[in-house]
Amino acid sequence: MNIQKITQSKLSNIKLESLAFGETFSDHMLVCYYKDGKWGTPSVEPYGPISVFPSLKAIHYGQSIFEGMKAFKDQDKNVFLYRPEMNFKRMNDSAKRMAMPEVPAEVFLDGLKALVDLDSAWIPETPGASLYLRPFMFASESAIRAASSSEYIFMIICSPVNTYYDQPLKVKIADKFSRSASGGVGSAKVAGNYAASFLPTIEVSKEGFDQIIWTDSSTHTFLEEAGTMNVFARIGDTLFTPCLSDRILHGITRDSVIQIAKSKSIEVIEQDITVETIVNAHKDGSLKEVFGCGTAVVVSQFSSIGYKDQLLTLPVLQAEESYAVQIKKWLQDIQYNRAEDPFGWRVAVK
Ligand code: PLP
Ligand code: COI
């Protein structure tokens, strides 16, 4: 790996505790080029603009994928990544679906560690804060024939972040737009999935909602995801979450929530959840909580759910009664090295 360090850090001019999500980037970035059927040597260099041609295939055909993960600092300033092998695997699953080359572990995992180690001063230490890591790959061949690119650029950039949402969210169940369809790219972390979600999200925001609950594209009767989160509903004392499919992103936080909940003797059932089940459970009082989870948001409670003309207001639970609050705490205790890690999820960065 080539390492070219900055001469003067930008950090002294920045207040890490008051940054908006994803608008400030650390001193360095990782870059690696794929050409002639192979990856070159990755290099860590000062964060800055890259030069590309207007005929870049990623711009014209959207061959572009990414990951989202975080680095955490504990009280003694030890630095940890959280389940990085899962992001590495998902990045390469996305690459396969998008006819892009897989990224080698020496580039993705060793590159992440080298970059995070170098920019570890950028990991905020305030509660709930972390360094958000964004590995991504895009088609860089300069040609506009509509076919898979022969050249790619893999990069990692880092952004110090605070809590994503401060308040419980008002969400609206989609009955017109869809995020993904069977046979499509919903389970891949493809840039275009997010582009397609912006208009529907803007539309619900005009009605006062923060996010959309995506439903299946054919009938709009099954819950799938919520904004950029996987979704859980607590009915009685059981947690339900939709089964994974090629329409749903296989969230690492989702998997963590399931494993943590089960380890604390909370029953978790992965099964298709209909909108009708949610409406009926709300009516009979058994719908206690609905929440989303993802790397950026961790676990985020919903305060109400809009469905057509109805607004289902969810009960306000005491913190110690709420699965969402408890699971978020257990998860963050592992991430910030405040508790034992029985699952072996923390990976120390030296
Ligand atoms: N679903 C979507 C569409 C997402 O963008 C994300 C965020 O990454 C998630 C779910 C949650 O995935 P993870 O927990 O791996 O961050
Ligand atoms: C994440 O949770 O990491 C995401 O990918 C959400 C992001 C689009 C902000």
Side-chain angles (χ1 to χ4, degrees):
M1 196 169 314
N2 304 315
I3 298 191
Q4 185 201 335
K5 292 190 190 168
I6 40 110
T7 44
Q8 169 110 51
S9 174
K10 297 174 288 188
L11 195 51
S12 50
N13 306 323
I14 289 169
K15 265 199 160 154
L16 290 181
E17 336 56 82
S18 54
L19 298 175
F21 187 93
E23 291 180 5
T24 303
F25 297 92
S26 68
D27 285 328
H28 298 92
M29 61 185 187
L30 179 130
V31 194
C32 190
Y33 296 90
Y34 179 92
K35 206 178 169 175
D36 301 326
K38 55 181 191 302
W39 289 100
T41 305
S43 63
V44 171
E45 27 187 276
Y47 176 86
I50 52 169
S51 170
V52 293
F53 283 102
S55 46
L56 179 92
K57 278 202 171 170
I59 296 175
H60 297 274
Y61 303 120
Q63 234 186 335
S64 180
I65 59 174
F66 70 96
E67 269 307 320
M69 48 203 301
K70 283 174 171 172
F72 302 91
K73 209 176 252 181
D74 74 6
Q75 274 194 333
D76 302 320
K77 301 195 187 295
N78 299 305
V79 174
F80 298 94
L81 296 176
Y82 180 71
R83 307 188 76 182
E85 304 81 8
M86 297 281 282
N87 296 90
F88 170 57
K89 181 181 177 303
R90 190 170 64 189
M91 179 95 191
N92 282 337
D93 288 344
S94 300
K96 277 183 250 170
R97 178 62 185 84
M98 296 299 281
M100 298 165 88
E102 291 182 46
V103 186
E106 310 82 77
V107 176
F108 188 104
L109 293 171
D110 298 350
L112 262 176
K113 284 187 194 162
L115 184 61
V116 169
D117 190 32
L118 188 60
D119 279 352
S120 63
W122 286 82
I123 307 174
E125 291 172 53
T126 38
S130 57
L131 188 64
Y132 185 81
L133 310 171
R134 174 54 64 88
F136 59 104
M137 191 211 310
F138 58 95
S140 54
E141 188 187 353
S142 172
I144 53 170
R145 200 169 87 82
S148 175
S149 175
S150 62
E151 295 176 16
Y152 296 87
I153 304 179
F154 171 76
M155 301 185 68
I156 310 175
I157 54 177
C158 314
S159 176
V161 296
N162 294 294
T163 312
Y164 199 86
Y165 294 125
D166 294 330
Q167 296 288 331
L169 304 181
K170 270 185 86 176
V171 295
K172 175 92 198 258
I173 296 180
D175 58 2
K176 178 171 111 185
F177 290 108
S178 316
R179 194 189 82 89
S180 64
S182 296
V185 295
S187 64
K189 213 160 160 63
V190 172
N193 286 342
Y194 298 80
S197 75
F198 295 155
L199 175 71
T201 309
I202 291 169
E203 291 210 349
V204 300
S205 74
K206 288 183 190 149
E207 298 174 55
F209 293 99
D210 302 299
Q211 271 302 344
I212 298 192
I213 294 202
W214 301 106
T215 48
D216 67 292
S217 59
S218 7
T219 66
H220 294 294
T221 52
F222 293 98
L223 306 195
E224 301 220 304
E225 299 207 47
T228 62
M229 300 171 279
N230 292 112
V231 65
F232 284 80
R234 173 181 175 187
I235 301 178
D237 284 333
T238 302
L239 272 183
F240 292 88
T241 192
C243 302
L244 294 176
S245 70
D246 66 354
R247 300 185 306 273
I248 293 182
L249 195 82
H250 298 197
I252 294 155
T253 319
R254 174 189 180 279
D255 182 78
S256 308
V257 166
I258 294 173
Q259 292 199 53
I260 290 174
K262 286 184 176 169
S263 77
K264 301 285 182 183
S265 303
I266 295 172
E267 187 183 21
V268 186
I269 300 181
E270 293 177 63
Q271 68 172 42
D272 293 339
I273 308 170
T274 60
V275 176
E276 201 185 353
T277 303
I278 297 294
V279 173
N280 288 340
H282 179 260
K283 217 179 276 171
D284 70 22
S286 59
L287 185 66
K288 293 197 186 156
E289 293 177 79
V290 184
F291 60 87
C293 68
T295 297
V297 302
V298 193
V299 173
S300 184
Q301 294 174 285
F302 301 160
S303 55
S304 58
I305 303 177
Y307 178 56
K308 297 196 189 286
D309 293 332
Q310 304 177 53
L311 187 70
L312 318 179
T313 303
L314 292 162
V316 179
L317 302 181
Q318 298 294 324
E320 60 278 11
E321 289 173 358
S322 158
Y323 284 175
V325 172
Q326 304 270 2
I327 292 171
K328 180 175 184 179
K329 183 182 177 303
W330 291 324
L331 173 56
Q332 290 190 315
D333 282 350
I334 295 177
Q335 292 178 325
Y336 289 91
N337 192 24
R338 293 190 294 246
E340 285 300 302
D341 174 18
F343 309 98
W345 288 339
R346 276 194 302 262
V347 174
V349 174
K350 299 255 162 20

